Amino acid sequence: MANDLNAEAYLCGRLYAALAELERLGEGEHHSLGRPDVLRKLALEPSKHLTKHLHAAGRYLLAARNRGQGRPAATVFRSLPDLLPSGRDLPGSLRDTALQERFHEGRTAQEAAIGRTVGTG
């Protein structure tokens, strides 16, 4: 069970990074997922704070297209299914220090992957 939660924490970090990039492409640099306070809350309780952004992914994609960022946004959008944890819902709590570390490892890994595939910046 602990290994499953470690894997889900990692995937939640990757999902966060993809959604943050998608939102940034659609809304610009001052997007909500880019704020440190939002990241802290989201990393502690993914289900409570990340689900609404997952539901908004299509809106972020359209906004990005309208800003001339359609191609990189589509690439990020297509990656979302592979980043979903295996459970029915996102984990409710990742308050354990080890789980927080796994979340941030996943976030860092996905940010690097996005940089390689779509050249963010």
Side-chain angles (χ1 to χ4, degrees):
M1 178 71 170
N3 284 339
D4 290 341
L5 201 48
N6 276 326
E8 289 197 355
Y10 184 82
L11 282 173
C12 281
R14 292 189 65 192
L15 181 61
Y16 162 81
L19 288 170
E21 179 62 12
L22 195 56
E23 186 184 33
R24 185 190 72 78
L25 289 166
E27 297 183 9
E29 292 301 320
H30 300 289
H31 60 98
S32 67
L33 286 173
R35 294 183 7 220
D37 62 317
V38 172
L39 173 58
R40 276 190 300 278
K41 289 177 189 175
L42 191 143
L44 290 172
E45 298 176 302
S47 181
K48 181 177 180 181
H49 300 286
L50 191 57
T51 301
K52 67 182 176 181
H53 293 282
L54 186 56
H55 288 244
R59 183 171 46 87
Y60 299 154
L61 176 64
L62 290 173
R65 185 191 67 189
N66 292 336
R67 294 180 80 234
Q69 297 294 319
R71 180 168 283 162
T75 299
V76 174
F77 185 83
R78 283 190 298 271
S79 73
L80 294 178
D82 293 333
L83 304 177
L84 295 172
S86 61
R88 183 177 175 148
D89 295 312
L90 297 175
S93 177
L94 299 176
R95 294 187 181 274
D96 181 88
T97 302
L99 295 176
Q100 284 288 297
E101 289 173 5
R102 287 297 288 159
F103 177 92
H104 291 293
E105 288 170 9
R107 178 180 57 88
T108 301
Q110 190 63 27
E111 287 170 349
I114 290 169
R116 288 189 303 272
T117 58
V118 300
T120 62

